[in-house]
Amino acid sequence: MTVDAFTVLAEPSRRRILDRLRRAESSVGELVDALGMSQPAVSKHLRVLRDAGLVTCRTAAQRRIYRVDVAPLRAVDDWLGPYRSMWTAHLDALERHLDSQE
Amino acid sequence: MTVDAFTVLAEPSRRRILDRLRRAESSVGELVDALGMSQPAVSKHLRVLRDAGLVTCRTAAQRRIYRVDVAPLRAVDDWLGPYRSMWTAHLDALERHLDSQE
DNA sequence: CAGGCATATAACTGGTAAGGCATATTGCGA
DNA sequence: TCGCAATATGCCTTACCAGTTATATGCCTG
């Protein structure tokens, strides 16, 4: 886990990879087909994701099957926490305002 | 809002700026003192944050007072949503497991 | 054990972004 | 209006990152 999740998630392609793996684990080749990227590009992104602990992989014959590991995302969610309460606070205020209009 | 929030948040300094503005709006000079960075560096980060809609600023005499706008963070939170439910699912499973151990 | 698949890595390239210093801009007070 | 204070911007250098092509590694099958 050399780099933090924020840095890794900055790349749209990596978020797409995660979004696909979230629905079903898959091999590198399947990701290549799904994302329309070259195989080395996909492998490199997977390397970064692995180093950040966001994916794990297991070997199945010649294939490597990748799956998501959400653990590092909790750091992102934790950072986001205070901000989330800010916009829910705003929503609450809006609701109160609307209520008072009736 | 030229760039997306993910890219902007990848920079640790920018997250620190947001974290400070979240507690209290402040001027550029106050941020410079608080973060121990050069004034141009801070101004540049604020520019990026502004372009992404993450902060707004108002003019007060010679100062510019910056404050957080959480709206763009909702995109991040939305993306995170499905993953969050993944780890709460895991937590639920763990709880059931621990319960069954009693 | 040879050949072919699937995946990883190396070397290179172009683009981009951050930080530093110097300077421009803007608003204010004397 | 002059000059100062606060902030923004330009320019330059450096570092890093994504993507490409070519090649290496590992594993199965005939």
Side-chain angles (χ1 to χ4, degrees):
Chain A
M1 225 181 283
T2 308
V3 291
D4 67 307
F6 285 98
T7 304
V8 175
L9 295 181
E11 255 307 309
S13 310
R14 286 195 284 259
R15 293 200 300 277
R16 293 209 302 149
I17 290 177
L18 287 178
D19 283 337
R20 190 157 195 292
L21 291 181
R22 173 169 57 82
R23 298 161 197 275
E25 59 177 23
S26 72
S27 70
V28 179
E30 287 167 341
L31 289 172
V32 169
D33 294 343
L35 306 181
M37 292 201 307
S38 76
Q39 176 266 313
V42 172
S43 280
K44 279 183 159 190
H45 283 307
L46 287 170
R47 174 86 151 117
V48 175
L49 288 165
R50 233 187 318 148
D51 288 346
L54 281 161
V55 301
T56 58
C57 90
R58 95 186 117 88
T59 300
Q62 315 94 320
R63 316 248 172 109
R64 307 270 175 104
I65 310 295
Y66 282 83
R67 64 157 35 213
V68 171
D69 185 350
V70 290
L73 289 181
R74 304 189 67 159
V76 178
D77 195 57
D78 288 347
W79 181 86
L80 215 52
Y83 298 93
R84 185 163 39 237
S85 57
M86 285 178 73
W87 72 66
T88 58
H90 283 158
L91 275 186
D92 291 349
L94 176 62
E95 283 172 9
R96 278 194 301 274
H97 177 71
L98 292 178
D99 287 349
S100 72
Q101 295 289 321
E102 295 174 0
Chain B
M1 226 182 280
T2 308
V3 293
D4 67 306
F6 285 99
T7 304
V8 175
L9 295 182
E11 260 302 316
S13 310
R14 286 195 285 257
R15 293 201 300 276
R16 292 211 300 149
I17 289 178
L18 287 178
D19 283 337
R20 189 154 195 295
L21 291 182
R22 173 170 56 82
R23 298 162 196 275
E25 59 179 22
S26 72
S27 69
V28 178
E30 287 168 341
L31 289 172
V32 169
D33 294 344
L35 305 180
M37 291 200 307
S38 76
Q39 176 267 315
V42 172
S43 280
K44 282 181 186 174
H45 283 308
L46 287 171
R47 174 87 150 116
V48 176
L49 288 164
R50 233 185 321 146
D51 288 347
L54 281 160
V55 301
T56 58
C57 91
R58 95 185 118 89
T59 300
Q62 313 94 321
R63 317 244 171 116
R64 308 268 175 103
I65 308 297
Y66 282 83
R67 64 158 33 214
V68 172
D69 184 350
V70 290
L73 290 181
R74 304 189 67 160
V76 177
D77 195 57
D78 288 347
W79 181 86
L80 215 52
Y83 298 94
R84 183 162 43 235
S85 56
M86 284 177 73
W87 73 68
T88 57
H90 283 156
L91 274 186
D92 292 349
L94 177 61
E95 283 171 9
R96 279 195 300 276
H97 178 70
L98 291 178
D99 287 350
S100 70
Q101 295 288 322
E102 291 174 359

